[in-house]
Amino acid sequence: MAPESNDERDERVARLWETLDTRKEGHVDLSGLKKGLKKIDHPLKNADDLLRSILVEVDTNHDGQIDYAEFRTFINQTESGLWQMFQSIDRNHNGEIDKAELRSAFSQSGVTVSNARLDEFFAEVDKNSDGVITYTEWRDFLLFMPLRSPSDLHAVLSYYTATGNLNPEGDVHINDLQGLGTDLNFLIRLPSAVSAILYNIFSLHIISSLLPSAHAQSSSTSTTSGEDLVPVDSELELENLAIPKNVAMWMSIRNYERKLTENTPQLGYFIAGGTAGVISRTATAPLDRLKVYLIAQTGVQNVAVIAAKEGAPIAATANASRTLVIAFQELWRAGGLRSLFAGNGLNVVKVMPESAIKFGAYESAKQFFARLEGHNDPKRLLPTSQFLSGGIGGMVAQCFVYPLDTLKFRMQCSTVGGGLRGNKLIAATAAKVWNHNGLFGFFRGLPLGLVGMFPYAAIDLTTFEYLKRALLARQARLSHCHEDDINLGNFLTGAIGALSGGLSASVVYPLNVLRTRLQAQGTALHPATYDSIGDVLRKTLATEGPRGLYKGLTPNLLKVAPAVSISYVVYENTKRMLGLK
């Protein structure tokens, strides 16, 4: 057995039992077991579900309690299995397990573990951080693990998963992220700052009346000041204590704080999303300018229409290509290279928060649905939840930046030869919208925009995630490693990004045309005006037919494919730089 005499082992087990049996009753129930584990700060102290399983395993007479005899039998069996497992992993039999031996043991057992996950597990068990795991460290960490077989490393990983991802409040962390992604201090400090302000402004009874205190039992005629509070012994039955109002209020604030932050995505996702949006949109600004210009044109190229009606698709395509060339030449004459980037400064101001909010809200929605499904893992979402997460992310972002979107479209349609430029054009366009329709003018077409944005973002993000996971799973199988250890190359990332972006843009393009014409109405390039969304649709079909709903699709796809491709490449690389997964 382990380098420990029988007497030493008996003494160690007896001390452990005395620690767990905090009430000195000779037996412990679930509540007592939790108190004992909290006393020794064991990782199981907050794992309620696992503790119930352990109680059932140890409680052989099924009386709902663990006595010393049952505890000793369980310890003997578990330590025997842990010792055998330790010896099987320790290939060189030097009494220590290094990281290579542990990785090899997991691999041979058919357990696929990422390098990052293995490092976390090793660091958790290696209490003295000397780079190796001794039997004492191995035994102490896994002592309460129900062990069916000495070779069952699956059980070890499941046990660690249940204990290693718990915070002090007993909540499961949604993401095991490193780097900038884990820094939520700015959100954690916010409720504390607000509560401090409330303390200084309002009296205690006013605040208490605004906050739930279901756990508090307090008198309406007495309060307890901060100076009267004393430390509470951790062994007392806290559930049965009467809690002063100010303590109850603090507990309520902490509860609101936890609810505020539990589904809040990490700051790094916003930074990665904003960076990706700025770079991708600037690179494709001329194509976006060309798309808006073509959408604003309500006339029909008769030559292209006649060719299409006569069944000459090649001739129709050639005329469509000439339309693009003519549009490009007209834009160039209107202001040269600067005309091709008209509105890009405003576009960057718009797309940075839009992209940041979209990806941030998307990650937040995934976390929410993961909790709703009960597994807390955003990578295991059902297809429906994945689809809804993408749509929600897009709609939230659209609501925030829609006024800038309207201003950009109208500004691009107001750029003509000899007209206003730069900041003067922005100011004049904004003033015109405000004078004609007030604040409502900046949100014209928003319902249609949301209707179009939901399927666009949902299809785009869901398709990208599906293809990404499929490729990662395939490469992981070929490389015989975990998916987290595979980095999808920039080419493949860009390719699936272009495919997902092009597919989603094509599906919702008619809605995009109608929304853009609503936003651009009454400008130099689009003088027509409309009463409603239905009016836009009727006039478009009457003057241009169904083909008018897809006007500008070619330059849009030429813009969307590289834009989304660049966006995903930058997003994935920025996440990797920030230590996000």
Side-chain angles (χ1 to χ4, degrees):
M1 285 295 293
E4 180 183 40
S5 67
N6 289 334
D7 291 340
E8 289 174 337
R9 182 169 181 273
D10 291 341
E11 184 180 352
R12 173 176 56 81
V13 175
R15 286 198 308 268
L16 179 59
W17 172 255
E18 290 177 1
T19 303
L20 295 178
D21 184 15
T22 57
R23 302 167 187 165
K24 311 303 179 186
E25 297 175 343
H27 57 78
V28 294
D29 55 12
L30 180 61
S31 177
L33 184 59
K34 287 184 63 176
K35 286 182 174 65
L37 292 173
K38 286 181 179 179
K39 191 172 183 179
I40 62 175
D41 195 29
H42 193 278
L44 275 175
K45 62 187 179 183
N46 291 317
D48 290 354
D49 291 339
L50 188 54
L51 280 178
R52 291 188 184 93
S53 300
I54 293 173
L55 183 64
V56 172
E57 184 79 17
V58 182
D59 180 23
T60 55
N61 62 7
H62 309 295
D63 62 352
Q65 298 175 334
I66 301 173
D67 57 34
Y68 180 72
E70 292 171 328
F71 177 74
R72 185 60 189 261
T73 301
F74 174 78
I75 291 296
N76 290 341
Q77 294 175 350
T78 302
E79 288 192 358
S80 176
L82 290 175
W83 174 245
Q84 295 179 49
M85 182 181 288
F86 183 86
Q87 287 183 312
S88 67
I89 298 174
D90 181 21
R91 296 301 178 88
N92 58 10
H93 303 293
N94 65 345
E96 299 172 338
I97 296 176
D98 58 33
K99 199 172 293 185
E101 289 175 325
L102 187 60
R103 181 180 292 107
S104 176
F106 274 119
S107 179
Q108 292 180 6
S109 298
V111 181
T112 305
V113 186
S114 68
N115 290 333
R117 191 66 167 163
L118 185 67
D119 291 342
E120 292 171 3
F121 173 75
F122 196 92
E124 188 73 25
V125 181
D126 180 20
K127 293 299 183 183
N128 60 3
S129 303
D130 60 353
V132 292
I133 298 174
T134 64
Y135 173 69
T136 300
E137 292 172 329
W138 181 262
R139 178 201 65 204
D140 290 347
F141 184 79
L142 300 172
L143 184 59
F144 293 96
M145 180 184 71
L147 192 61
R148 301 279 185 257
S149 168
S151 60
D152 189 8
L153 285 176
H154 287 272
V156 173
L157 194 61
S158 298
Y159 177 87
Y160 170 66
T161 301
T163 61
N165 295 336
L166 293 165
N167 62 26
E169 286 74 35
D171 299 316
V172 177
H173 286 304
I174 295 174
N175 284 314
D176 298 323
L177 302 175
Q178 303 295 327
L180 185 59
T182 61
D183 185 8
L184 286 176
N185 289 333
F186 70 102
L187 283 174
I188 294 174
R189 289 193 296 267
L190 179 60
S192 299
V194 173
S195 63
I197 294 172
L198 292 175
Y199 270 119
N200 294 327
I201 296 177
F202 300 108
S203 62
L204 184 60
H205 72 278
I206 294 177
I207 305 176
S208 298
S209 66
L210 298 176
L211 297 172
S213 55
H215 302 290
Q217 301 174 13
S218 55
S219 172
S220 60
T221 59
S222 64
T223 59
T224 303
S225 64
E227 292 76 7
D228 294 331
L229 295 179
V230 295
V232 179
D233 188 347
S234 61
E235 295 183 13
L236 292 177
E237 295 287 346
L238 297 181
E239 310 89 63
N240 300 324
L241 291 180
I243 304 176
K245 278 189 175 182
N246 51 353
V247 176
M249 182 182 65
W250 175 83
M251 292 173 63
S252 299
I253 291 174
R254 289 287 295 172
N255 180 62
Y256 282 132
E257 173 186 329
R258 182 176 64 83
K259 292 295 184 183
L260 174 66
T261 59
E262 66 181 3
N263 285 321
T264 303
Q266 284 72 22
L267 176 62
Y269 287 117
F270 291 94
I271 295 176
T275 303
V278 169
I279 294 177
S280 64
R281 287 300 179 90
T282 300
T284 57
L287 293 172
D288 184 57
R289 176 80 171 91
L290 189 60
K291 179 204 74 172
V292 174
Y293 176 84
L294 287 175
I295 290 177
Q297 298 298 308
T298 56
V300 181
Q301 294 291 330
N302 293 328
V303 178
V305 174
I306 293 173
K309 289 182 177 179
E310 292 178 352
I314 297 178
T317 303
N319 281 288
S321 301
R322 282 197 293 273
T323 300
L324 292 177
V325 173
I326 293 172
F328 179 82
Q329 291 173 344
E330 290 181 359
L331 289 174
W332 185 268
R333 285 195 296 269
L337 183 63
R338 189 173 181 178
S339 176
L340 296 176
F341 285 87
N344 187 55
L346 189 63
N347 205 18
V348 167
V349 172
K350 178 199 82 112
V351 81
M352 186 172 186
E354 177 186 30
S355 185
I357 293 170
K358 182 182 79 171
F359 282 110
Y362 171 59
E363 298 293 341
S364 180
K366 287 200 300 181
Q367 292 173 4
F368 170 77
F369 282 113
R371 294 178 71 89
L372 196 64
E373 292 177 9
H375 52 71
N376 301 309
D377 185 0
K379 295 182 179 179
R380 294 169 49 199
L381 286 178
L382 296 173
T384 303
S385 298
Q386 183 75 50
F387 187 84
L388 291 174
S389 297
I392 290 172
M395 290 179 70
V396 171
Q398 183 82 341
C399 289
F400 274 93
V401 301
Y402 197 80
L404 289 175
D405 215 18
T406 298
L407 193 59
K408 183 200 76 170
F409 283 136
R410 293 185 66 88
M411 197 182 85
Q412 287 180 332
C413 292
S414 299
T415 303
V416 295
L420 296 174
R421 294 286 188 275
N423 293 334
K424 292 182 179 180
L425 178 59
I426 296 176
T429 304
K432 184 176 180 181
V433 174
W434 180 268
N435 292 335
H436 279 74
N437 303 104
L439 183 63
F440 174 75
F442 291 96
F443 290 91
R444 297 197 72 165
L446 177 59
L448 188 63
L450 294 178
V451 170
M453 179 54 69
F454 182 87
Y456 171 77
I459 294 172
D460 176 28
L461 292 167
T462 302
T463 303
F464 178 82
E465 286 285 346
Y466 175 79
L467 294 176
K468 176 186 172 183
R469 290 179 188 175
L471 289 174
L472 287 175
R474 179 177 180 275
Q475 292 191 16
R477 286 195 302 269
L478 295 176
S479 303
H480 304 288
C481 63
H482 195 274
E483 295 175 10
D484 289 346
D485 297 326
I486 298 292
N487 287 328
L488 209 59
N490 289 335
F491 177 78
L492 285 177
T493 301
I496 61 177
L499 179 61
S500 66
L503 175 64
S504 57
S506 299
V507 170
V508 303
Y509 193 77
L511 292 175
N512 189 32
V513 169
L514 299 180
R515 174 178 63 88
T516 302
R517 289 187 171 181
L518 262 181
Q519 290 175 307
Q521 62 179 308
T523 61
L525 296 181
H526 193 78
T529 56
Y530 309 100
D531 298 327
S532 63
I533 294 173
D535 189 33
V536 184
L537 178 62
R538 285 192 300 271
K539 290 183 178 179
T540 299
L541 292 176
T543 57
E544 303 168 74
R547 185 171 177 269
L549 297 176
Y550 290 90
K551 200 166 188 180
L553 177 61
T554 301
N556 185 59
L557 290 179
L558 290 176
K559 181 209 77 166
V560 166
V564 177
S565 176
I566 294 170
S567 179
Y568 278 121
V569 169
V570 175
Y571 181 66
E572 294 294 324
N573 281 281
T574 306
K575 283 201 305 180
R576 197 174 300 121
M577 290 172 56
L578 297 176
L580 299 167
K581 296 179 181 179

